[in-house]
Amino acid sequence: MNEVAPGLVTVFGGSGFVGSQLVQALAKRGWRVRIACRRPDRAWKLQTSGTVGQFQAVRCDVTRPADVEAALRGADAAINLVGILYESGRRSFQSLHVDAARNIAEACAAGGVGRLVQVSAIGANAGSDSDYARSKAAAETAVREVKPDTVVIRPSIVFGAGDDFLNRFAALASMAPALPLIGGGRTKFQPVYVADVAEAIARATAAPEAAGRTFELGGPAVMTFEDVLKLIRRETYRRFALVPLPFFMARAIGSMAQLSTMVGIAPVLTRDQVVLLQSDNVVAEGAEGLAALGIEPTGIEAIAPTYLWRYRRGGQFADAPAT
């Protein structure tokens, strides 16, 4: 794809897992990056990823139109990475997915920002039983109603050092003798490497021909939930059992686990996440993906061992169990 000359790009939610990789990918292309987030102090670590003055971190509450407008002042492009995995207090799917996306799109349209990239998720579906999936679909609709040339990026489960996917289950495996195979472990994923996602977003930001298109990002392999847990078991040298757990029981457990948000503790599982697991999370047949952006996907088998070793007894120098 052709790329426009880099200018100033505002990245909403740029201090997080994907955002940290993305701002580095943008910096390599010569963009000046304004990182708009609730906690600018969390973006300071990124200053060394570029040249002096290339990054600017600003405080922004995406639910406040005035904050969004200020964060976009003078920007040539904008990327919305803001998202939550579960609701807690005022941090709802409606406010942080739908309303925030609309605020950003309206400010882009009013301020003449040329390119907007909305990062959504595979599984975004207005007819889904999942609140998360419906809100992601509603956010896509909201931005394209205001700015039809918005690029939508839908990744599958994103993995990499610092992820909330392999790390979550590996941490549980280091404490528990067994892990649940929710729904029998048959749900399919297409895990995609965080660096590939970052590169895809960076290319879509700069490519004029990406306007108005939707890209679904998945890795080179489709894996079941059981495959993922077996990968974790193999790379952590743990011997935990895998116990089938029917969806109806998992939903009940998720409902109880989510009560922890009332005291500010992140839940291990929520009812809505169990509902999501009832549908496969893979690239749709015929959808444009990494290949359309000129990216060769990186396999999970090549990356997972580089950070799952920390969950072994003895760390990276632990002896592999006898087979």
Side-chain angles (χ1 to χ4, degrees):
M1 287 185 170
N2 299 316
E3 295 194 4
V4 299
L8 172 63
V9 56
T10 298
V11 183
F12 293 93
S15 62
F17 171 53
V18 175
S20 297
Q21 291 281 330
L22 173 59
V23 297
Q24 293 178 62
L26 292 167
K28 289 177 182 177
R29 283 179 155 71
W31 288 90
R32 289 178 294 119
V33 185
R34 182 179 292 154
I35 305 166
C37 51
R38 288 189 309 138
R39 293 281 305 277
D41 56 296
R42 293 180 177 174
W44 290 346
K45 63 182 182 295
L46 298 171
Q47 295 291 338
T48 57
S49 300
T51 59
V52 175
Q54 193 170 15
F55 295 128
Q56 176 194 19
V58 299
R59 188 186 183 284
C60 178
D61 180 346
V62 288
T63 66
R64 294 169 54 87
D67 281 13
V68 173
E69 180 185 356
L72 284 169
R73 200 163 293 142
D76 302 289
I79 301 167
N80 180 22
L81 290 172
V82 175
I84 55 174
L85 295 175
Y86 60 90
E87 296 182 306
S88 177
R90 290 183 295 178
R91 292 174 59 78
S92 68
F93 292 140
Q94 177 66 36
S95 64
L96 290 176
H97 289 174
V98 187
D99 297 342
R102 184 179 293 108
N103 287 343
I104 292 169
E106 289 177 346
C108 283
V113 177
R115 171 54 49 86
L116 172 60
V117 179
Q118 169 72 16
V119 179
S120 184
I122 286 180
N125 181 354
S128 174
D129 291 331
S130 161
D131 295 337
Y132 173 89
R134 287 199 310 275
S135 69
K136 284 292 189 179
E140 292 181 14
T141 299
V143 295
R144 281 192 166 152
E145 284 177 349
V146 177
K147 193 168 169 53
D149 61 351
T150 297
V151 181
V152 172
I153 302 287
R154 295 177 177 170
S156 183
I157 298 296
V158 182
F159 70 88
D163 67 37
D164 192 39
F165 179 49
L166 297 185
N167 279 301
R168 177 190 298 194
F169 291 108
L172 288 173
S174 67
M175 300 181 288
L179 289 184
L181 281 175
I182 299 172
R186 292 183 292 272
T187 306
K188 294 178 181 178
F189 303 102
Q190 199 167 344
V192 60
Y193 183 36
V194 64
D196 293 341
V197 174
E199 181 65 17
I201 298 170
R203 293 188 185 189
T205 302
E209 59 266 44
R213 291 159 68 179
T214 297
F215 299 92
E216 296 200 352
L217 311 185
V222 173
M223 306 174 69
T224 65
F225 185 40
E226 182 176 10
D227 292 334
V228 171
L229 294 185
K230 285 181 175 178
L231 168 69
I232 292 170
R233 183 165 62 185
R234 183 172 68 249
E235 295 300 335
T236 60
Y237 300 169
R238 300 281 176 171
R239 296 185 180 277
F240 57 86
L242 297 175
V243 181
L245 181 68
F247 281 124
F248 77 90
M249 292 182 64
R251 287 194 298 270
I253 292 171
S255 295
M256 291 187 290
Q258 193 164 355
L259 295 176
S260 66
T261 62
M262 298 175 66
V263 291
I265 299 174
V268 174
L269 185 70
T270 69
R271 185 185 187 282
D272 197 67
Q273 288 168 352
V274 175
V275 173
L276 276 174
L277 284 171
Q278 293 179 233
S279 300
D280 293 336
N281 194 277
V282 298
V283 174
E285 184 176 354
E288 292 191 290
L290 290 173
L293 293 163
I295 300 171
E296 185 73 25
T298 305
I300 194 170
E301 300 277 357
I303 301 299
T306 66
Y307 62 98
L308 289 184
W309 57 262
R310 71 189 71 173
Y311 299 100
R312 300 170 187 166
R313 294 186 181 91
Q316 66 186 109
F317 303 109
D319 293 328
T323 56

